[in-house]
Every structure is written in structure tokens, then in C-alpha cells.
Amino acid sequence: MTDTAAPTKYDVIAIGNAIVDVMAPCEDALIGELGLNKGGMTLVDTERADELYQAMGPAKEISGGSAANTLAGMAALGAKCAFVGQVADDQLGEVFTHDIRAIGVAYETPARPAEGGEDSLPTARCLIFVTPDGERTMNTFLGATQFLPAEALDDDLIASAGILYLEGYLWDPEEPRRAMRRAIEVARKSGRKVAFTASESFVIDRHGDDFRALIDEGQIDILFVNETELATLTGESDFDAGLARLSGKIPTVVATRSARGAVAVQGETRAEVPAEPVDKVVDTTGAGDLFAAGFLTGHARGESLETCLTMGAVCAAEIISHYGARSEADLKALVEKRLG
């Protein structure tokens, strides 16, 4: 990445899954009966998605997707953001498009036809079962979102953002993977930073060689992982050893540790913050997404590592205090109160 670049229009542009979350509370027994991977994310086909939907209790539909959730949090904090992701020309696609634009995020990706051909698929949805302990078990039908073509990218739009933020989940399908590789090239040629969230250990299991190659080539400026993903990516069971493996290759490494807070390493500087107190953990859906929102907003503003981590922790604490991965309280006010 060059040291000079044209002025930015957006703080962050993200490429990710365009998904509508369908959430419902359930008892632990149902998780076992359905053979679900509690606390994890599993990709499902149309038949399995229908089966799980029928088994859900009363549900709530909320626009989601990991990177889109992050941008929603950033927009709430006052950042300028744009999103690239594929929906279908159907009802859920209209819901997603309306929701993301309504919160002030620029979104112009053309919708994919939902019917009428072999390639037609509906808008993606994530069926989320939330147990009494607040743990979320996600079952994702990717639908149209897994066919984001490189041709849908606007190079000028990519180049207009200070940070390109990529969602690891979307690296799995071939077509959007090509799109993200192209976006990385555009961002780096334009002197922009590239941030990447690993998303889930199963993604690293499938594409770890790709991720490690990107890291070794110096293509990633900011990496977000949790401690499980860190171990999977580095092969180090010791947390600090894992950080050490990455910190010499990536300018900024951010690792979250659930109730034990988060750590960031930037060159020789290391910062660590505890998790923010929460009266009750209701639903952990989106905790990592909102942590990234707080951190990236602080980073875009030139804040210190500790301040960026604190902003992330505040946002994560708000999101786990209620159902859904979109904030209900005023994030900007919460952050300002916390930072004094």
C-alpha cells in the first residue's frame, strides 16, 4: 500500500453476505433434536432450511450478514460506509435493501433475478436458534448472495473508501471470492487499507491456505479473529504464541476473547481491554460484528489502539444485551459516555 492516496468519500466499504436473519428463542433440547451444532454456523441447502424453519417457534426477521452488521454499527457511530453484496429481486431482497439504505449505508449492487431460470435463487437467510444462555446457533442458506460477480464491483467505489473490509464467510463460494480478490487489488493500487475478518474456524479449515498466502504477501492490514480462529489459522494453541505468529506479518491484529475482552497488536504496541459489563447476556449474535464496528470507527478516526478496543467492547456489550445483531440503543452516546 502506498503512503499517499486521493481523499476518501467513505470510511469503510465492505463486501459481504446480504442476508436476512430469522431469529427465534428455543430450549437446548431442540438443538439436540435437530442435530444442530450449538454455537456454530452451518451452511444448509433449501430442503434443510425449510425443515429448520418449520421447527422454529415465533420468529423475528432482521436484516443481517456479518459485514452488513458491522457497517450498521459504524453508521450508528457516525461513520460513512458503503456495502457490496448480492440479494435477489424478491421480498426479502427488498427488505434488506430498504433496511441498509435506511440506516445511511450506500448500497447499489444490482439484484439477481429470483425466478425464471436455472440460476435463479432467493435472497439468503440465516435461521438462528437462541438458547436460554444467549448462545446463537446459525444455519445459513446462502441463496443469491453466493453468486456476487466481480462485474458487480465498481472500482471507483472501492477506491473511494479508506478501508476495504472483507467478510471471511463470503470467501467460501467461488464467484464472490474472485470479486474480493479483485477488490483487494483495486484497494491496494489506490493506497487504501484492507481489513479482513476470519468469520469462523470452518472457513479457515477450508481456505486457510488462501488466508495465510494473503497474509504472507502483505495483502492484509487489519485482521479480526477470535481466539479459536487464531488457533486454527496459526496452528498455535497458546493465545500469545498465535498473536506472535501474526503480528510480524500484519500491521494490526485484533483478537477477541469473549468474556475475557480483547487484545490488539500493532507493531511493538500491544493493548488489551476487558469485556464491558452486561446485566444479562441475551443473544451473542453479532457480537464480533459490532466489536469490529467500534474498532474500525476508532481506527478510521486515528484513535489509539486502546480506545479502538474500548469502542469495540462497548458496541459488543450493547448487542449481546438483546436479540438481534443491530443496535437498539444509541451507540454513539454509549461510546461517548464510556470514553468521557
Side-chain angles (χ1 to χ4, degrees):
M1 189 184 72
T2 58
D3 293 329
T4 60
T8 59
K9 180 178 180 180
Y10 298 104
D11 296 305
V12 170
I13 182 168
I15 302 178
N17 282 311
I19 298 177
V20 176
D21 292 337
V22 182
M23 307 181 61
C26 76
E27 297 300 321
D28 283 290
L30 184 61
I31 300 294
E33 291 171 14
L34 294 172
L36 302 179
N37 175 28
K38 183 177 178 181
M41 197 288 282
T42 304
L43 296 178
V44 298
D45 58 18
T46 304
E47 183 177 351
R48 179 62 165 164
D50 289 342
E51 176 190 352
L52 295 179
Y53 184 71
Q54 293 301 320
M56 297 182 94
K60 182 178 182 181
E61 295 180 352
I62 308 170
S63 292
S66 176
N69 291 336
T70 295
L71 294 190
M74 293 191 71
L77 291 169
K80 295 180 179 179
C81 306
F83 179 70
V84 177
Q86 184 88 72
V87 298
D89 184 13
D90 57 15
Q91 184 176 358
L92 286 183
E94 291 177 2
V95 168
F96 182 92
T97 300
H98 171 269
D99 286 355
I100 198 164
R101 290 175 176 169
I103 58 176
V105 174
Y107 176 58
E108 300 297 335
T109 308
R112 182 185 179 90
E115 299 178 357
E118 293 182 1
D119 295 333
S120 62
L121 283 169
T123 295
R125 69 285 315 270
C126 183
L127 307 175
I128 304 174
F129 293 78
V130 185
T131 42
D133 60 359
E135 193 67 77
R136 82 282 185 272
T137 299
M138 301 183 292
N139 303 272
T140 304
F141 171 63
L142 290 173
T145 197
Q146 64 189 315
F147 293 103
L148 174 73
E151 294 75 22
L153 298 183
D154 180 335
D155 288 1
D156 290 339
L157 180 65
I158 299 295
S160 72
I163 300 171
L164 168 67
Y165 181 61
L166 303 174
E167 178 185 325
Y169 283 132
L170 199 58
W171 198 267
D172 202 48
E174 181 178 351
E175 205 163 356
R177 185 162 65 246
R178 289 199 301 267
M180 288 194 286
R181 285 190 180 279
R182 175 179 155 188
I184 291 173
E185 293 179 5
V186 173
R188 300 203 71 81
K189 287 179 181 178
S190 303
R192 309 309 189 187
K193 291 183 179 180
V194 177
F196 193 93
T197 175
S199 294
E200 189 90 22
S201 286
F202 90 86
V203 181
I204 301 172
D205 287 335
R206 292 167 64 97
H207 302 287
D209 288 345
D210 273 1
F211 299 162
R212 285 183 280 270
L214 289 173
I215 291 168
D216 290 342
E217 293 164 7
Q219 301 296 313
I220 306 299
D221 299 290
I222 306 169
L223 177 69
F224 291 93
V225 289
N226 62 33
E227 54 187 335
T228 302
E229 294 156 4
L230 177 65
T232 304
L233 184 62
T234 63
E236 298 284 356
S237 58
D238 180 77
F239 179 77
D240 289 321
L243 280 180
R245 284 283 297 272
L246 295 179
S247 59
K249 300 178 179 180
I250 304 172
T252 304
V253 180
V254 185
T256 56
R257 311 187 76 181
S258 299
R260 289 181 290 171
V263 178
V265 179
Q266 194 172 76
E268 298 298 319
T269 302
R270 173 176 170 138
E272 186 168 357
V273 300
E276 292 290 305
V278 179
D279 290 337
K280 180 183 179 181
V281 176
V282 176
D283 170 23
T284 57
T285 305
D289 303 337
L290 270 292
F291 186 94
F295 187 95
L296 286 172
T297 301
H299 185 85
R301 295 174 181 171
E303 302 286 359
S304 68
L305 267 189
E306 184 173 355
T307 296
C308 292
L309 288 173
T310 299
M311 292 174 67
V314 170
C315 293
E318 192 282 334
I319 220 66
I320 65 175
S321 67
H322 58 78
Y323 284 114
R326 300 291 172 93
S327 60
E328 295 182 354
D330 185 335
L331 290 182
K332 184 184 292 187
L334 291 174
V335 167
E336 289 175 351
K337 180 180 179 180
R338 175 64 176 80
L339 296 179

